[in-house]
């Protein structure tokens, strides 16, 4: 495969990067490459034991901090401690993601678990770190989308899927919401003249531990389905390239969206990805932003 590779990441010495969900999969590779190029990387993880093991494997200038995106109290505590120790942050990669195919579950704050974790936790985190990011050098926020956003639709009258819960569509809606957030964040940053840019990426179909976890509620049948699903995926190293480019390429502009170029954006070299019409609609972005502010109690921009 040709095209953009991790070897094109510029020198990251002197930069502080925060990567959520950095103990495995896309987040682990992202953190590894940023550290390899000289960044001080904060591994923001729910399981700190797994985070410490990841830090050991990564080496370099890394630290582990506890963050549970399914708890707004945890998000607030993480942000307060982080900014006290690191008043300047250069990069935030909102990488962590959750996909579960079992019964409907909720966060500590009562939100549907996919939307609460994938969107609302990251929405609050970004807002709470915004001042530290504004003080950074070439500051950037990266939001992790998914090709599933293209077939999703937000029902603002049932945003938490209380009336009609189906796990796969719920995941897709959470990723559509995440995509809308990343684009609306870019609009608002540009409108205020902020130095921060907001970019987006998706990994196509990539070999991470999300697939096995999604099927774990189905026992042996679930394990078999997960193994079959993994056959259609590309390597996690290849799948991480879109978000690494979104995070580090000096030529990237705010609002750009990267993904794989091949086979309906499921695999291959990095290219600009296509957005769904709903994701790109500013009216939807404005409405979702207001809703997220109300639900999280975090208001910014």
């Amino acid at each position: 495969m040709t095209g953009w590779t991790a070897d094109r990441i510029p020198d990251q010495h002197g930069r502080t990067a925060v990567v959520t969900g950095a103990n495995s999969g896309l987040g682990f590779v992202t953190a590894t490459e940023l550290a390899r190029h000289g960044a001080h990387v904060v591994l923001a993880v729910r399981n700190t034991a797994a985070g410490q093991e990841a830090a050991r494997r990564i080496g370099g200038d890394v630290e582990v901090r506890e963050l549970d995106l399914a708890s707004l109290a945890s998000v607030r505590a993480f942000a307060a401690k982080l900014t006290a120790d690191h008043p300047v942050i250069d990069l935030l990669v909102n990488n962590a993601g959750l996909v579960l195919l079992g019964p409907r579950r909720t966060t500590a704050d009562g939100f549907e678990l996919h939307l609460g974790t994938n969107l609302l936790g990251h929405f609050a985190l970004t807002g709470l770190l915004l001042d530290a990011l504004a003080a950074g050098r070439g500051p950037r926020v990266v939001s992790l989308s998914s090709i599933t956003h293209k077939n999703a639709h937000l029902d603002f009258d049932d945003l938490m899927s209380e009336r009609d819960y189906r796990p796969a569509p719920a995941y897709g809606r959470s990723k559509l919401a995440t995509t809308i957030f990343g684009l609306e964040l870019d609009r608002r940053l540009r409108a205020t003249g902020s130095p921060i840019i907001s970019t987006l990426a998706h990994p196509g179909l990539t070999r991470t531990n999300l697939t096995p976890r999604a099927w774990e509620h189905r026992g042996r049948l679930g394990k078999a389905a997960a193994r079959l699903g993994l056959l259609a995926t590309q390597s996690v190293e290849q799948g991480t390239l879109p978000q690494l480019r979104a995070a580090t390429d000096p030529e990237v502009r705010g609002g750009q969206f990267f993904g794989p170029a091949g086979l309906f954006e499921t695999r291959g070299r990095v290219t600009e990805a296509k957005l769904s019409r709903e994701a790109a609609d500013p009216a939807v972005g404005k409405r979702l932003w207001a809703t997220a502010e109300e639900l999280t109690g975090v208001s910014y921009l």
Side-chain angles (χ1 to χ4, degrees):
M1 286 178 187
T2 59
W4 196 92
T5 70
D7 290 335
R8 294 177 63 176
I9 295 174
D11 179 53
Q12 299 291 301
H13 283 90
R15 294 175 64 79
T16 296
V18 179
V19 181
T20 67
N23 60 293
S24 65
L26 300 166
F28 176 80
V29 176
T30 297
T32 299
E33 290 296 342
L34 292 171
R36 185 168 75 89
H37 287 82
H40 173 78
V41 185
V42 178
L43 311 184
V45 299
R46 185 166 55 88
N47 183 334
T48 54
Q52 293 292 352
E53 173 59 20
R56 185 192 64 78
R57 292 169 57 200
I58 293 170
D61 186 9
V62 300
E63 64 175 293
V64 177
R65 292 186 180 237
E66 184 177 1
L67 171 64
D68 183 357
L69 289 160
S71 164
L72 290 176
S74 175
V75 173
R76 289 182 181 276
F78 171 86
K81 293 175 184 175
L82 179 67
T83 53
D85 295 335
H86 299 288
V88 177
I89 296 170
D90 304 285
L91 173 64
L92 171 61
V93 183
N94 287 327
N95 162 85
L98 173 90
V99 52
L100 293 172
L101 300 184
R104 183 180 182 274
R105 294 168 58 186
T106 57
T107 69
D109 304 283
F111 307 136
E112 188 278 315
L113 193 58
H114 291 97
L115 191 81
T117 302
N118 297 346
L119 170 69
L120 295 175
H122 280 130
F123 177 90
L125 177 66
T126 303
L128 294 167
L129 298 184
L130 208 65
D131 286 345
L133 282 159
R137 176 166 53 92
R140 199 172 294 194
V141 178
V142 181
S143 297
L144 193 63
S145 179
S146 164
I147 53 175
T148 62
H149 94 271
K150 296 174 187 289
N151 297 316
H153 167 68
L154 290 188
D155 180 358
F156 283 94
D157 294 325
D158 189 27
L159 203 58
M160 298 300 163
S161 304
E162 294 173 294
R163 292 198 303 266
D164 178 24
Y165 180 76
R166 289 170 293 155
Y171 172 73
R173 283 192 295 272
S174 76
K175 283 302 186 179
L176 170 60
T178 299
T179 309
I180 294 168
F181 161 62
L183 293 167
E184 181 64 15
L185 176 62
D186 175 64
R187 294 186 194 103
R188 290 172 181 252
L189 290 168
R190 283 190 282 116
T192 61
S194 172
I196 307 167
I197 69 169
S198 171
T199 62
L200 303 98
H202 82 80
L205 296 180
T206 293
R207 201 168 304 126
T208 72
N209 60 7
L210 284 184
T211 300
R213 285 180 181 174
W215 288 93
E216 63 186 8
H217 68 290
R218 297 295 298 271
R220 284 186 295 178
L221 177 62
K223 289 181 180 179
R227 283 195 294 269
L228 286 172
L230 289 173
L231 293 177
T233 59
Q234 63 179 351
S235 73
V236 67
E237 290 77 15
Q238 186 67 31
T240 308
L241 292 180
Q243 67 198 65
L244 282 170
R245 183 174 181 186
T248 65
D249 186 343
E251 303 301 318
V252 167
R253 304 180 308 278
Q256 279 191 287
F257 179 33
F258 296 96
L263 198 63
F264 306 106
E265 296 187 15
T266 61
R267 59 180 62 244
R269 63 179 177 82
V270 181
T271 190
E272 284 206 59
K274 295 181 176 62
L275 293 159
S276 74
R277 181 176 299 178
E278 186 169 342
D281 187 339
V284 178
K286 185 177 180 180
R287 185 176 183 184
L288 180 65
W289 191 279
T291 301
E293 286 187 327
E294 181 180 353
L295 291 171
T296 63
V298 178
S299 298
Y300 56 105
L301 295 174

